[in-house]
Every structure is written in C-alpha cells, then in structure tokens.
Amino acid sequence: MKAAIIKEYGDVTQLEITNTNKPVVNNDEVLVENVATSINPIDYKARQGLLQSMFNWQFPVILGWDVAGKIVAIGDQVTDFNIGDEVFARPDIDPLGLNGSYAEYTAVKADKLALKPSNINFEQAAAVPLAGLTALQMLRQLNLQAGQKILIQGGAGGVGIFAIQLAKQMGAFVATTASANNSEFVESLGADLVIDYHRNNIDDVLSNYDAVLDTVGDIERGVSILRSGGHFVTISSSLTDDQKAISDKHVMAGWLQPNGEDLALLANKIESNHLKVVLDSTYPFTTDGIQSAQKRIETHHARGKVVVKIKDKA
C-alpha cells in the first residue's frame, strides 16, 4: 500500500509517499480502507521529534491519527461492524509507529470505531475524531456545568470549533480568543464573547471564570482568570511543578482517550445537525500534498481542519 512515512525526525521534507506493507488485522480489529485523513498539531510535533519521550518508534514511521473510510476486513472477535461499513475513528497510537492514518489502510480496534454520519462526506468525517473527542473529553475533565463561564483559547482551531459548540450545548457562557478575521465565524458557532488576541490580553478583559480550555499554550494568563476552585486544562503545553501545585485551582494537562462510544455520541450530534464540521483546506495524497498540509497546520492560522484526501471514494 501507499503511505506517507518519515525516516528520521525533522522538517516537512522528511515526509514522503512510498510503498509499504498493509497492516495485519488482529482478532479485535478491522482493516479500514482510508478515503481521507486529517492533520493535527500532534502530527508535526511527532515529526519534529518532540514526543520521543512518549513513543519509542522505529523508523520508518507512518504518522496520522484520524481515519475515515470503509471496512474491508474484520477480525474474528469483531461482532458490531461488518465489511462495507463506512466508519471513522481515532485509532490507538501504534507503539511501533507503523499503523498511522497517512496510508491507504489502517488497522483499528473495533472499540475505537463509530459509523460515519450519513450526512457528511469522508473528508468531513476525517476532521472529527481527534479534535472532536479532545473537545468532548476536555470539557468533561473541566467538569463544565450549565450556567458556568468558560474560556476556550483558540476558538477557530480544530479543537476550539468543536469545544465552542459543545460547551454552548451544555448551557455554558462561552468566551473565546480569535483574530478579528475569525470573530464572526466563532460567534456563528455559539461564542458569546470574542477576544481579539492581537489587541487584548485575556487577563485584562476576563476574571472569575469557572473553566479554561487552553489549546494555544497560554497557561499563566489562562490560570489567572479562574475563580478559586475553577478548572483549567491545557492540551498544548507541559505544566511546571509550580503550576501543578496551585492549591485553590484545578490545573491539569489533558490527553484524549480513543473511544468509540464517545465518537458515536459526536456522530449522533452531527447527524442531527447539532454539530458543525468545518474544513480549512483539503490536500491530495502526494508527497507535496502531505508536506503542504502539515505546513498549513504549522502556520497556526487554519480555520477548521486540514484534510488529506487519500482516494476519490470508498
């Protein structure tokens, strides 16, 4: 099969399309023929070698953690899915680095799968798993309740777009940071207050917030606007010992757990038109295309998800 690999850590020029072996399916897995995948910040961080303490990979490595496609093979223990099902998933991270989604096929454990919503295409479906699951699970980690105030730092990004919509549906007052160009966009998703981060620091505008979801690495200011007893979670930076030790606020780092039930919950919201999927751009599954897609993510100016189309249709 064709896959985009890296042979060593470095810049986007390390990514190249090559031929490699198709994954072998275990008893609790299915084999998905991918139609599309998407690009996430973890992808370029892994490519740069910033996650070596977490993953002991052996090169070559296939990156990518968003799958959207059709099941073409099933393990003996899989009972909830069938060959031909259109699915999407955020697979487990392969400890060997050989089973990423920048490939024509990916093996996925059945408990990480959900059926693709019928009202979106595969490119849109590929934009959901990692970002949508992160938003959903981080709002839970923040213990967000109806009537509370939450700040979502980076509202126009992949996670921010889902987090705004989900937090609003939970009954929260939602503030977010965005550029002036994205102000109307995040308001259309449900944001009640938009702070132009080019003009204002959040701690000059906000105070006494119940929760903060940080997707940009602005930990000090995010924590500073919390009330005593408030909750802060970052998905973008590591916490210092001093930040972890703050006694009157809950300061945490967040990491999603792939979960098919959670993904099915998001699928139901999409299918009932209660959750929008927003694409920034789509790139072809070529060496230049995959490199350009990662370059786009690294600008930090994508409005929505960056997607790579692996094939024309399932």
Side-chain angles (χ1 to χ4, degrees), residues 55-88:
F55 312 132
N56 186 28
W57 288 332
Q58 304 296 314
F59 294 106
V61 168
I62 303 172
L63 299 174
W65 294 282
D66 276 314
V67 163
K70 182 178 288 188
I71 295 175
V72 293
I74 293 182
D76 292 341
Q77 297 174 4
V78 176
T79 59
D80 293 335
F81 295 93
N82 299 296
I83 291 175
D85 283 348
E86 296 181 349
V87 295
F88 65 152

Side-chain angles (χ1 to χ4, degrees), residues 13 61 79 97 149 173 175 205 287-288 299:
T13 62
V61 168
T79 59
K149 297 186 295 182
F173 178 92
V205 180
T287 294
D288 181 67
T299 68

